[in-house]
Short mmCIF file of all heavy atoms in Angstrom, two decimals:
data_model
loop_
_atom_site.label_atom_id
_atom_site.label_comp_id
_atom_site.label_asym_id
_atom_site.label_seq_id
_atom_site.Cartn_x
_atom_site.Cartn_y
_atom_site.Cartn_z
N VAL A 355 18.26 -19.45 -0.52
CA VAL A 355 17.88 -20.85 -0.28
C VAL A 355 19.01 -21.77 -0.73
O VAL A 355 19.57 -21.61 -1.82
CB VAL A 355 16.58 -21.18 -1.04
CG1 VAL A 355 16.24 -22.66 -0.89
CG2 VAL A 355 15.44 -20.32 -0.52
N ASN A 356 19.35 -22.72 0.12
CA ASN A 356 20.40 -23.69 -0.18
C ASN A 356 19.82 -25.09 -0.26
O ASN A 356 18.88 -25.44 0.48
CB ASN A 356 21.50 -23.66 0.89
CG ASN A 356 22.33 -22.40 0.81
OD1 ASN A 356 22.60 -21.89 -0.28
ND2 ASN A 356 22.73 -21.88 1.96
N ALA A 357 20.37 -25.87 -1.13
CA ALA A 357 19.96 -27.28 -1.26
C ALA A 357 20.60 -28.11 -0.14
O ALA A 357 21.73 -27.82 0.28
CB ALA A 357 20.37 -27.83 -2.61
N PRO A 358 19.90 -29.13 0.36
CA PRO A 358 20.46 -29.96 1.44
C PRO A 358 21.52 -30.92 0.92
O PRO A 358 21.33 -32.15 0.90
CB PRO A 358 19.23 -30.70 1.98
CG PRO A 358 18.30 -30.77 0.82
CD PRO A 358 18.53 -29.53 0.00
N SER A 359 22.65 -30.38 0.48
CA SER A 359 23.74 -31.23 -0.02
C SER A 359 24.98 -30.97 0.82
O SER A 359 25.00 -30.10 1.70
CB SER A 359 24.02 -30.89 -1.49
OG SER A 359 24.37 -29.53 -1.63
N ASN A 360 26.02 -31.70 0.58
CA ASN A 360 27.26 -31.54 1.32
C ASN A 360 28.41 -31.34 0.32
O ASN A 360 28.81 -32.26 -0.39
CB ASN A 360 27.53 -32.78 2.18
CG ASN A 360 28.66 -32.57 3.16
OD1 ASN A 360 29.08 -31.43 3.40
ND2 ASN A 360 29.15 -33.67 3.72
N PRO A 361 28.99 -30.14 0.24
CA PRO A 361 28.61 -28.93 0.96
C PRO A 361 27.33 -28.33 0.40
O PRO A 361 26.96 -28.61 -0.75
CB PRO A 361 29.81 -28.00 0.70
CG PRO A 361 30.33 -28.44 -0.63
CD PRO A 361 30.12 -29.93 -0.70
N PRO A 362 26.64 -27.47 1.17
CA PRO A 362 25.39 -26.86 0.68
C PRO A 362 25.64 -25.99 -0.55
O PRO A 362 26.62 -25.26 -0.62
CB PRO A 362 24.91 -26.03 1.87
CG PRO A 362 25.61 -26.59 3.05
CD PRO A 362 26.93 -27.08 2.57
N ARG A 363 24.75 -26.09 -1.50
CA ARG A 363 24.83 -25.28 -2.71
C ARG A 363 23.57 -24.44 -2.84
O ARG A 363 22.49 -24.86 -2.41
CB ARG A 363 24.96 -26.19 -3.94
CG ARG A 363 26.29 -26.90 -4.05
CD ARG A 363 26.30 -27.83 -5.25
NE ARG A 363 27.59 -28.47 -5.42
CZ ARG A 363 27.82 -29.44 -6.30
NH1 ARG A 363 26.84 -29.87 -7.07
NH2 ARG A 363 29.03 -29.97 -6.41
N PRO A 364 23.70 -23.26 -3.44
CA PRO A 364 22.49 -22.44 -3.65
C PRO A 364 21.49 -23.16 -4.54
O PRO A 364 21.86 -23.92 -5.45
CB PRO A 364 23.04 -21.17 -4.32
CG PRO A 364 24.48 -21.13 -3.96
CD PRO A 364 24.93 -22.56 -3.84
N ALA A 365 20.23 -22.91 -4.27
CA ALA A 365 19.19 -23.57 -5.05
C ALA A 365 19.28 -23.18 -6.52
O ALA A 365 18.97 -24.00 -7.41
CB ALA A 365 17.82 -23.18 -4.49
N ILE A 366 19.72 -21.96 -6.81
CA ILE A 366 19.84 -21.52 -8.21
C ILE A 366 20.87 -22.37 -8.94
O ILE A 366 20.64 -22.78 -10.09
CB ILE A 366 20.23 -20.03 -8.25
CG1 ILE A 366 19.14 -19.18 -7.59
CG2 ILE A 366 20.47 -19.57 -9.67
CD1 ILE A 366 19.49 -17.73 -7.45
N VAL A 367 21.97 -22.65 -8.29
CA VAL A 367 23.01 -23.47 -8.93
C VAL A 367 22.49 -24.88 -9.19
O VAL A 367 22.72 -25.46 -10.27
CB VAL A 367 24.28 -23.49 -8.05
CG1 VAL A 367 25.30 -24.46 -8.59
CG2 VAL A 367 24.86 -22.08 -7.92
N VAL A 368 21.77 -25.45 -8.22
CA VAL A 368 21.24 -26.80 -8.39
C VAL A 368 20.25 -26.84 -9.55
O VAL A 368 20.24 -27.78 -10.37
CB VAL A 368 20.59 -27.28 -7.08
CG1 VAL A 368 19.93 -28.64 -7.27
CG2 VAL A 368 21.63 -27.36 -5.97
N LEU A 369 19.41 -25.82 -9.64
CA LEU A 369 18.44 -25.79 -10.74
C LEU A 369 19.12 -25.63 -12.09
O LEU A 369 18.72 -26.26 -13.08
CB LEU A 369 17.44 -24.64 -10.50
CG LEU A 369 16.48 -24.82 -9.31
CD1 LEU A 369 15.64 -23.58 -9.11
CD2 LEU A 369 15.59 -26.03 -9.50
N LEU A 370 20.15 -24.77 -12.16
CA LEU A 370 20.88 -24.59 -13.42
C LEU A 370 21.58 -25.88 -13.84
O LEU A 370 21.71 -26.17 -15.04
CB LEU A 370 21.89 -23.45 -13.29
CG LEU A 370 21.30 -22.03 -13.23
CD1 LEU A 370 22.41 -21.01 -13.06
CD2 LEU A 370 20.51 -21.73 -14.50
N MET A 371 22.04 -26.65 -12.88
CA MET A 371 22.64 -27.95 -13.22
C MET A 371 21.62 -28.86 -13.90
O MET A 371 21.96 -29.61 -14.83
CB MET A 371 23.18 -28.61 -11.95
CG MET A 371 24.38 -27.88 -11.35
SD MET A 371 24.88 -28.53 -9.73
CE MET A 371 25.50 -30.13 -10.20
N SER A 372 20.36 -28.78 -13.45
CA SER A 372 19.31 -29.57 -14.11
C SER A 372 19.00 -29.03 -15.50
O SER A 372 18.70 -29.80 -16.43
CB SER A 372 18.04 -29.57 -13.26
OG SER A 372 18.29 -30.10 -11.98
N MET A 373 19.08 -27.72 -15.65
CA MET A 373 18.72 -27.11 -16.94
C MET A 373 19.72 -27.49 -18.04
O MET A 373 19.32 -27.74 -19.19
CB MET A 373 18.65 -25.58 -16.80
CG MET A 373 18.17 -24.86 -18.04
SD MET A 373 18.24 -23.06 -17.88
CE MET A 373 20.01 -22.79 -18.00
N VAL A 374 21.00 -27.54 -17.72
CA VAL A 374 22.01 -27.83 -18.74
C VAL A 374 22.31 -29.32 -18.84
O VAL A 374 23.21 -29.72 -19.59
CB VAL A 374 23.31 -27.05 -18.45
CG1 VAL A 374 23.05 -25.55 -18.50
CG2 VAL A 374 23.90 -27.45 -17.10
N ASN A 375 21.56 -30.14 -18.11
CA ASN A 375 21.75 -31.60 -18.16
C ASN A 375 20.76 -32.17 -19.16
O ASN A 375 19.54 -32.14 -18.95
CB ASN A 375 21.53 -32.19 -16.76
CG ASN A 375 21.88 -33.66 -16.71
OD1 ASN A 375 22.19 -34.29 -17.74
ND2 ASN A 375 21.82 -34.24 -15.52
N GLU A 376 21.26 -32.69 -20.26
CA GLU A 376 20.38 -33.16 -21.33
C GLU A 376 19.61 -34.42 -20.95
O GLU A 376 18.65 -34.78 -21.63
CB GLU A 376 21.21 -33.43 -22.59
CG GLU A 376 22.36 -34.40 -22.40
CD GLU A 376 23.19 -34.55 -23.66
OE1 GLU A 376 22.58 -34.71 -24.73
OE2 GLU A 376 24.42 -34.46 -23.58
N ARG A 377 19.95 -35.08 -19.84
CA ARG A 377 19.23 -36.27 -19.43
C ARG A 377 17.97 -35.94 -18.63
O ARG A 377 17.17 -36.83 -18.35
CB ARG A 377 20.15 -37.17 -18.60
CG ARG A 377 21.26 -37.82 -19.42
CD ARG A 377 22.19 -38.63 -18.56
NE ARG A 377 22.93 -37.79 -17.62
CZ ARG A 377 23.81 -38.24 -16.73
NH1 ARG A 377 24.06 -39.53 -16.67
NH2 ARG A 377 24.45 -37.40 -15.94
N GLN A 378 17.82 -34.70 -18.23
CA GLN A 378 16.62 -34.31 -17.48
C GLN A 378 15.42 -34.17 -18.43
O GLN A 378 15.59 -33.89 -19.62
CB GLN A 378 16.87 -32.97 -16.76
CG GLN A 378 17.90 -33.04 -15.66
CD GLN A 378 17.42 -33.87 -14.48
OE1 GLN A 378 16.23 -34.08 -14.28
NE2 GLN A 378 18.38 -34.39 -13.71
N PRO A 379 14.19 -34.35 -17.90
CA PRO A 379 13.00 -34.20 -18.76
C PRO A 379 12.90 -32.80 -19.36
O PRO A 379 13.32 -31.81 -18.75
CB PRO A 379 11.83 -34.49 -17.80
CG PRO A 379 12.44 -35.25 -16.67
CD PRO A 379 13.85 -34.79 -16.54
N PHE A 380 12.33 -32.74 -20.55
CA PHE A 380 12.25 -31.47 -21.26
C PHE A 380 11.41 -30.44 -20.50
O PHE A 380 11.79 -29.26 -20.39
CB PHE A 380 11.66 -31.73 -22.66
CG PHE A 380 11.36 -30.48 -23.42
CD1 PHE A 380 12.38 -29.63 -23.86
CD2 PHE A 380 10.05 -30.13 -23.71
CE1 PHE A 380 12.09 -28.47 -24.56
CE2 PHE A 380 9.76 -28.98 -24.41
CZ PHE A 380 10.79 -28.14 -24.84
N VAL A 381 10.27 -30.86 -19.95
CA VAL A 381 9.40 -29.92 -19.24
C VAL A 381 10.09 -29.39 -17.98
O VAL A 381 9.91 -28.24 -17.59
CB VAL A 381 8.06 -30.58 -18.89
CG1 VAL A 381 7.24 -30.81 -20.14
CG2 VAL A 381 8.25 -31.89 -18.13
N LEU A 382 10.90 -30.23 -17.32
CA LEU A 382 11.62 -29.79 -16.15
C LEU A 382 12.67 -28.73 -16.51
O LEU A 382 12.83 -27.73 -15.81
CB LEU A 382 12.28 -30.99 -15.46
CG LEU A 382 13.10 -30.67 -14.20
CD1 LEU A 382 12.20 -30.09 -13.12
CD2 LEU A 382 13.80 -31.92 -13.69
N ARG A 383 13.35 -28.91 -17.62
CA ARG A 383 14.36 -27.94 -18.05
C ARG A 383 13.69 -26.61 -18.42
O ARG A 383 14.22 -25.54 -18.11
CB ARG A 383 15.15 -28.51 -19.23
CG ARG A 383 15.90 -29.78 -18.89
CD ARG A 383 16.56 -30.41 -20.10
NE ARG A 383 17.74 -29.66 -20.53
CZ ARG A 383 18.50 -29.99 -21.55
NH1 ARG A 383 18.21 -31.09 -22.26
NH2 ARG A 383 19.54 -29.27 -21.87
N CYS A 384 12.54 -26.69 -19.06
CA CYS A 384 11.80 -25.46 -19.37
C CYS A 384 11.37 -24.75 -18.09
O CYS A 384 11.42 -23.51 -18.00
CB CYS A 384 10.57 -25.79 -20.22
SG CYS A 384 10.95 -26.33 -21.89
N ALA A 385 10.92 -25.50 -17.08
CA ALA A 385 10.51 -24.91 -15.81
C ALA A 385 11.68 -24.22 -15.11
O ALA A 385 11.53 -23.13 -14.54
CB ALA A 385 9.89 -25.97 -14.91
N VAL A 386 12.86 -24.84 -15.13
CA VAL A 386 14.04 -24.23 -14.51
C VAL A 386 14.42 -22.95 -15.23
O VAL A 386 14.77 -21.94 -14.60
CB VAL A 386 15.21 -25.23 -14.51
CG1 VAL A 386 16.48 -24.55 -14.03
CG2 VAL A 386 14.88 -26.44 -13.63
N LEU A 387 14.35 -22.95 -16.56
CA LEU A 387 14.65 -21.73 -17.31
C LEU A 387 13.67 -20.62 -16.95
O LEU A 387 14.07 -19.46 -16.75
CB LEU A 387 14.58 -22.02 -18.82
CG LEU A 387 14.78 -20.80 -19.73
CD1 LEU A 387 16.15 -20.18 -19.53
CD2 LEU A 387 14.57 -21.20 -21.19
N TYR A 388 12.39 -20.96 -16.82
CA TYR A 388 11.38 -19.96 -16.43
C TYR A 388 11.65 -19.44 -15.02
O TYR A 388 11.51 -18.24 -14.75
CB TYR A 388 10.00 -20.60 -16.51
CG TYR A 388 8.86 -19.66 -16.21
CD1 TYR A 388 8.79 -18.40 -16.79
CD2 TYR A 388 7.84 -20.04 -15.33
CE1 TYR A 388 7.73 -17.55 -16.52
CE2 TYR A 388 6.78 -19.20 -15.05
CZ TYR A 388 6.73 -17.96 -15.65
OH TYR A 388 5.69 -17.10 -15.37
N CYS A 389 12.08 -20.32 -14.13
CA CYS A 389 12.40 -19.90 -12.75
C CYS A 389 13.58 -18.93 -12.76
O CYS A 389 13.57 -17.92 -12.05
CB CYS A 389 12.71 -21.12 -11.90
SG CYS A 389 13.03 -20.77 -10.17
N PHE A 390 14.59 -19.22 -13.57
CA PHE A 390 15.75 -18.35 -13.64
C PHE A 390 15.38 -16.99 -14.25
O PHE A 390 15.84 -15.94 -13.78
CB PHE A 390 16.84 -19.02 -14.48
CG PHE A 390 18.18 -18.34 -14.42
CD1 PHE A 390 18.97 -18.44 -13.28
CD2 PHE A 390 18.65 -17.59 -15.48
CE1 PHE A 390 20.20 -17.81 -13.22
CE2 PHE A 390 19.87 -16.95 -15.42
CZ PHE A 390 20.65 -17.06 -14.29
N GLN A 391 14.52 -17.00 -15.25
CA GLN A 391 14.06 -15.75 -15.84
C GLN A 391 13.28 -14.91 -14.83
O GLN A 391 13.47 -13.69 -14.74
CB GLN A 391 13.19 -16.04 -17.07
CG GLN A 391 13.95 -16.64 -18.24
CD GLN A 391 13.01 -17.06 -19.37
OE1 GLN A 391 11.80 -17.02 -19.23
NE2 GLN A 391 13.59 -17.46 -20.49
#
Side-chain angles (χ1 to χ4, degrees):
V355 175
N356 289 323
S359 59
N360 191 15
R363 290 177 177 172
I366 298 174
V367 173
V368 175
L369 292 175
L370 288 178
M371 292 172 68
S372 301
M373 185 185 73
V374 298
N375 187 354
E376 56 184 313
R377 290 177 294 179
Q378 293 292 338
F380 173 67
V381 290
L382 180 63
R383 299 174 73 180
C384 291
V386 173
L387 176 61
Y388 183 48
C389 183
F390 191 74
Q391 292 174 353

